[in-house]
Amino acid sequence: MTLPADSSTTVFVATCDLAGLVRGRSVPSAAHDAVLRSGTGWVPVNLAISSFGPIAPDNVFGSRGDLRLVPDAATAVGIPADSTTPGMLLYLADQTLPDGQPWACCPRTFLRETLTELREHTGLEVVAAFEHEFVLDGLPESAPFSLRRFRDAEPFGTDLVRLLEHTGLEPETWIPEYGDGQFELTLRPAEALAAADRAVLLKELVRDLARRRGLPVSFSPLLATTGVGNGVHIHLSLRHADGRPALYDPQRPGRLSATGARFSAGILAHTPALTALTAPSPVSFLRLTPHRWSSGGVFLAERNREALLRICPTTALGDSDPAAQFNLEYRAADATANPWLALAALIRAGLAGLTRNYDEPTVWPEETDESVLAQAPALPASLDEALDALEKDHTVRSWFDPRLLATHLSVKRSELAQLDGLDDAERIRRVRNVY
């Protein structure tokens, strides 16, 4: 829905880059209608800006080329003014060529094209949701999951939920979490592109409100070497064109349909490469280790929070339909990833599982002993290992325009180089300051 911009409202046209950071350009309210029609200028090399600031030195774009940031009117978010900060009208945009044709390196376009390819090859649609964890500093010490922590965050928490409702992001839960000062926000499932758009917007709305309330906030995957860290859990379900759920089959292991098993097989087969896209910061892999409740191994399991892919629980309470609730949760992601790119990569891996002859994975029951699951393949031990796996996985490489893949590798390796020689504590501090 397009929202009108009054004379006091800045219009900001934004994209999300390979560091998972939102960047863009603002225009005055008088230019609102014009920018919706024709966008605003942008530059290819902006995709190569690292999370710490400098442009990756070996990027493929250099000083050449021009683009347009063309807003998608359906993404409009109106942030109300308060006593200290003017209101703002925020749009997410596609990066296009100057004539409006798609740019092959635009992450949002990559997700849209992925969904089209899935639909054309299988007739399936994706419904998705992103769960975000983050830490608010400056609150009194309190117990995990406690009412006290929930109340200590007021009125920020209530204001945040109201803001998300006002902007159409459909908040589902706002809860105190396990880590010190940690909270979790979940949004209602939505069509895949809308779900990824919401994941981009959510972080900015949280940061903006926290800044106005004087509360430092961080979505960093790790805030201390011994901390639990912040993850992003990506929930996926498949639907037939007529809306029927495609993942549920009560007669099969874990109630996961043959379609769901094949989709899962693709993700599991390409996990090392995928993690270079879903957990792409220099400290992400310090969190992705056993016994952190993040992802302790590359396996598919019922209701196990150490699994890379978790089959989530359902309920029959209130005459709820388990088939409609049934979904897979991918747990090796964090907020340093680009949501469009991360979701697209998972869907393309699932599509590979649906269209190629991959072995159907074991569905480990909830009661499986930990010693058995410890034998599952491990995730990469570092971002270096994940980037090497991405380069060696010819299937995953084939999904990307070579310039987009080269830029991702360049940005991530430049971030590693900028932290080279630092100990883990300092690396964590540097990443925390960004996110």
Side-chain angles (χ1 to χ4, degrees):
M1 178 178 65
T2 303
L3 302 178
D6 62 37
S7 60
S8 64
T9 302
T10 298
V11 178
F12 197 90
V13 182
T15 184
C16 184
D17 68 9
L18 300 180
L21 299 176
V22 170
R23 306 183 196 270
R25 290 187 173 179
S26 66
V27 300
S29 59
H32 174 261
D33 292 347
V35 82
L36 280 183
R37 290 192 300 269
S38 59
T40 186
W42 201 239
V43 181
V45 76
N46 288 346
L47 192 66
I49 302 174
S50 75
S51 63
F52 303 115
I55 295 171
D58 57 347
N59 78 86
V60 299
F61 301 115
S63 60
R64 301 177 301 278
D66 287 281
L67 300 170
R68 303 295 290 178
L69 286 181
V70 180
D72 182 341
T75 68
V77 167
I79 302 176
D82 62 19
S83 59
T84 62
T85 308
M88 180 175 71
L89 187 54
L90 173 63
Y91 288 97
L92 297 180
D94 294 310
Q95 299 175 65
T96 77
L97 299 174
D99 63 0
Q101 293 299 306
W103 185 47
C105 296
C106 171
R108 192 168 189 263
T109 299
F110 180 64
L111 174 55
R112 185 185 292 107
E113 291 175 346
T114 295
L115 296 169
T116 298
E117 191 167 336
L118 176 72
R119 189 181 310 114
E120 290 175 348
H121 282 84
T122 68
L124 295 170
E125 310 277 350
V126 175
V127 173
F130 289 69
E131 294 180 6
H132 281 85
E133 296 170 334
F134 60 89
V135 168
L136 288 176
D137 284 336
L139 299 182
E141 188 174 330
S142 58
F145 310 114
S146 64
L147 176 61
R148 176 179 172 181
R149 180 179 299 170
F150 179 85
R151 295 294 286 174
D152 282 343
E154 294 288 27
F156 173 83
T158 295
D159 289 346
L160 177 61
V161 171
R162 287 174 177 166
L163 176 62
L164 297 176
E165 290 174 332
H166 168 78
T167 54
L169 267 65
E170 296 189 286
E172 197 171 53
T173 60
W174 155 248
I175 58 176
E177 253 288 353
Y178 182 74
D180 293 340
Q182 188 179 47
F183 293 84
E184 181 181 272
L185 261 174
T186 64
L187 304 178
R188 291 181 59 83
E191 178 274 325
L193 181 61
D197 287 346
R198 290 175 175 185
V200 174
L201 293 166
L202 174 70
K203 290 184 292 182
E204 299 312 306
L205 293 175
V206 171
R207 289 187 180 116
D208 185 68
L209 183 62
R211 179 190 60 79
R212 288 185 278 145
R213 297 292 186 272
L215 291 171
V217 64
S218 181
F219 288 83
S220 178
L222 210 57
L223 285 81
T225 54
T226 58
V228 295
N230 295 313
V232 173
H233 304 149
I234 303 176
H235 292 257
L236 295 155
S237 60
L238 301 177
R239 298 284 190 271
H240 297 286
D242 60 5
R244 288 178 298 115
L247 290 185
Y248 183 74
D249 185 342
Q251 306 306 315
R252 285 179 49 86
R255 302 184 296 168
L256 184 65
S257 69
T259 295
R262 294 198 304 272
F263 190 86
S264 300
I267 293 174
L268 294 170
H270 297 289
T271 290
L274 293 175
T275 57
L277 302 160
T278 64
S281 86
V283 302
S284 292
F285 291 86
L286 298 175
R287 188 183 73 90
L288 296 176
T289 57
H291 311 302
R292 281 186 180 269
W293 287 32
S294 54
S295 181
V298 183
F299 60 91
L300 167 67
E302 295 182 274
R303 300 178 293 278
N304 187 326
R305 290 174 176 80
E306 289 279 303
L308 176 84
L309 278 179
R310 181 174 79 113
I311 298 174
C312 295
T314 61
T315 181
L317 292 174
D319 296 322
S320 299
D321 178 11
Q325 304 166 46
F326 202 78
N327 69 93
L328 295 167
E329 179 187 52
Y330 176 86
R331 295 180 60 81
D334 61 50
T336 67
N338 179 301
W340 298 317
L341 204 63
L343 184 55
L346 293 176
I347 294 169
R348 285 189 180 263
L351 177 59
L354 291 170
T355 56
R356 300 185 179 207
N357 190 28
Y358 291 9
D359 291 337
E360 189 169 311
T362 299
V363 178
W364 293 105
E366 184 176 4
E367 63 271 16
T368 304
D369 190 85
E370 185 177 319
S371 63
V372 175
L373 299 177
Q375 306 306 310
L379 275 76
S382 67
L383 180 58
D384 269 323
E385 284 189 20
L387 294 171
D388 288 345
L390 176 58
E391 282 196 293
K392 293 173 183 176
D393 191 324
H394 297 293
T395 297
V396 176
R397 288 177 61 90
S398 71
W399 304 336
F400 297 91
D401 182 283
R403 296 168 298 168
L404 176 56
L405 181 64
T407 304
H408 183 80
L409 293 167
S410 173
V411 167
K412 297 304 152 186
R413 288 187 168 133
S414 75
E415 291 175 353
L416 287 168
Q418 290 174 75
L419 301 188
D420 189 39
L422 302 178
D423 63 19
D424 286 345
E426 180 61 16
R427 288 157 62 90
I428 289 168
R429 189 188 72 81
R430 297 284 185 92
V431 172
R432 177 177 182 166
N433 287 344
V434 173
Y435 295 95

